[in-house]
Amino acid sequence: VTPAVAASLPASSVPDYDWYVGGGVFGDHHTGFVPNTNNVYNVEAYAPGGKIFLGYRFDKGWSAELSVDYFGETSFYEKNFPTASKERSFAVTGTVLWFTPPITEWLPWAGNIWMPAPVRPFARGGFAYKNIRQEAYDGIFDEGTVTFVLGGGAEFEFDPHWFMRIEYEYVSTALNGPSEPFTALNGLLT
């Protein structure tokens, strides 16, 4: 679950579309999958993370976002190794969001429920470049992969330029990506 708060950049004369920026914090689950390691260097743990994002709202129903997500760091002990191993990862994502009208417009009974702001459910989909860095007893492994992103949630619109989201976002494991980080991104944010 990702609570996020964002603010639009300078106000547009038409509030239906605009640039916006924001950030959020979340708890994420490291699935334990590290590509191309034959399950030797895998961790499965929960860690705190965060994200920053830049988006453009085309109209009330569609937005596109670019974000940098930091998935935190976890430590674990491997069998037969004397020291702890660590894993940390980040992703650069590009997604498209589809919003429904406010729920009070399509669920008649929802108008009887008090809400702090109009609530618009949404779904998201896109792709990401994910970097996984594993520091183990016998070496450091960097893995750069291309993944897909799926998610959904609810956006609370306090006014045309302030909103808050609660969402679930899934960043998959590798989609046959390269076994090493892309040269252009090698060392970036690691």
Side-chain angles (χ1 to χ4, degrees), residues 1-87:
V1 175
T2 303
V5 179
S8 293
L9 294 177
S12 168
S13 60
V14 182
D16 291 347
Y17 62 92
D18 207 352
W19 288 98
Y20 58 91
V21 295
V25 294
F26 54 82
D28 68 281
H29 181 238
H30 288 254
T31 61
F33 178 76
V34 179
N36 300 327
T37 60
N38 298 323
N39 294 324
V40 175
Y41 302 105
N42 289 340
V43 58
E44 186 165 352
Y46 291 90
K51 76 187 293 185
I52 56 172
F53 57 89
L54 170 68
Y56 186 79
R57 192 176 305 265
F58 296 100
D59 60 30
K60 288 189 181 246
W62 293 96
S63 289
E65 287 184 3
L66 180 64
S67 72
V68 176
D69 299 38
Y70 175 68
F71 299 115
E73 184 175 295
T74 59
S75 295
F76 61 101
Y77 282 92
E78 298 176 68
K79 201 184 227 184
N80 302 324
F81 287 110
T83 60
S85 294
K86 294 188 291 189
E87 177 188 287

Side-chain angles (χ1 to χ4, degrees), residues 124-143:
R124 81 164 59 233
F127 293 94
Y129 165 78
K130 184 162 72 171
N131 179 273
I132 302 166
R133 181 177 183 90
Q134 179 106 22
E135 297 174 12
Y137 175 72
D138 57 346
I140 296 174
F141 306 91
D142 277 310
E143 185 75 31

